[in-house]
Amino acid sequence: MTKGKTFIISGPSGVGKSTVLHALLERRKELYFSVSATTRPRRAGEEDGVHYHFLDVDTFREWIAKDEFLEYAEYVGNFYGTPKRFVDEAMDQGRDVILDIEVQGANQVTGKRPETVTIFIAPPSWTELERRLTERGTDSAEKIQKRLLRAKVEFQTAHTYDYFVINDTVENAVGELEAILTAEHCKPQERMEIINGNN
């Protein structure tokens, strides 16, 4: 059995990452979607281990000290991080792992594990991104402008990623992600190991 690979998906707020990933996970049931750990309080309806791994601050700091995270950050007074253990367990079972993390977190992960495959999801245009953010109806005009500004900053790092997917339609974006997953398992080293293992 070949070991699974880790794939990072990054992209600006409003690009439709959640929708695309939900559709991808529906089509590829064998994928493991990494659940982050957080110190923020659990909200109504959230389940531990499903939405987040909920930890208290002391436990989170303990995990940091033991190098238990692939990446972590503090955001608005709470910690968020990607636990190594669950990612490694899934990969050892031959499952590919999807990490939905921001640019800074992606840099932390690839610093520790350069073999991680990175994918940047972009909108078809800035006008379309602004339209999607406006249609969500969750942010003020000022906050939307801040999100667009941040998106343009994140876009400056897109050339450092292995792949670049434009989310013009969910169907196209999912198709490209599936093609990337397939291509990454067609590398000569992995294929030759399969053949040698079958002899």
Side-chain angles (χ1 to χ4, degrees):
M1 180 180 67
T2 58
K3 192 174 177 179
K5 293 175 184 279
T6 301
F7 294 83
I8 287 174
I9 313 279
S10 301
S13 176
V15 79
K17 271 199 323 273
S18 300
T19 307
V20 168
L21 287 175
H22 181 74
L24 177 69
L25 294 163
E26 280 295 306
R27 292 227 303 235
R28 294 251 186 153
K29 300 285 190 189
E30 77 282 1
L31 291 173
Y32 173 77
F33 183 75
S34 172
V35 177
S36 298
T38 186
T39 57
R40 80 151 171 76
R42 194 188 310 198
R43 293 174 189 151
E46 287 184 331
E47 289 179 59
D48 185 47
V50 176
H51 298 94
Y52 283 99
H53 298 287
F54 292 97
L55 306 176
D56 59 52
V57 175
D58 289 342
T59 305
F60 201 103
R61 290 187 188 280
E62 207 175 283
W63 283 28
I64 292 171
K66 291 180 178 172
D67 194 28
E68 294 276 347
F69 292 108
L70 282 174
E71 58 84 32
Y72 69 90
E74 193 175 352
Y75 181 69
V76 199
N78 293 305
F79 283 111
Y80 294 84
T82 303
K84 279 182 189 174
R85 179 163 41 111
F86 308 111
V87 169
D88 290 342
E89 282 171 5
M91 286 170 66
D92 287 342
Q93 292 162 8
R95 299 171 73 189
D96 285 336
V97 176
I98 304 290
L99 305 184
D100 174 7
I101 51 178
E102 294 189 5
V103 170
Q104 294 89 335
N107 289 336
Q108 285 186 51
V109 177
T110 54
K112 291 178 181 175
R113 298 186 175 182
E115 71 282 5
T116 304
V117 182
T118 55
I119 305 165
F120 193 92
I121 297 189
S125 68
W126 295 114
T127 310
E128 175 60 15
L129 183 62
E130 187 169 8
R131 188 189 69 76
R132 289 178 190 178
L133 285 168
T134 306
E135 276 194 357
R136 286 203 308 200
T138 53
D139 295 328
S140 64
E142 186 188 357
K143 196 161 187 186
I144 287 168
Q145 288 310 308
K146 281 184 178 170
R147 288 193 187 280
L148 285 169
L149 201 62
R150 183 169 177 178
K152 289 185 178 180
V153 171
E154 289 174 343
F155 193 76
Q156 300 300 315
T157 68
H159 68 279
T160 65
Y161 279 67
D162 298 315
Y163 297 96
F164 190 98
V165 169
I166 294 175
N167 183 21
D168 49 357
T169 70
V170 172
E171 189 63 28
N172 286 348
V174 171
E176 289 193 356
L177 288 175
E178 285 198 293
I180 292 164
L181 293 172
T182 301
E184 280 296 322
H185 283 287
C186 294
K187 298 285 178 79
Q189 187 180 351
E190 187 174 313
R191 288 286 157 102
M192 287 158 83
E193 282 172 9
I194 292 169
I195 291 169
N196 291 334
N198 288 339
N199 287 341

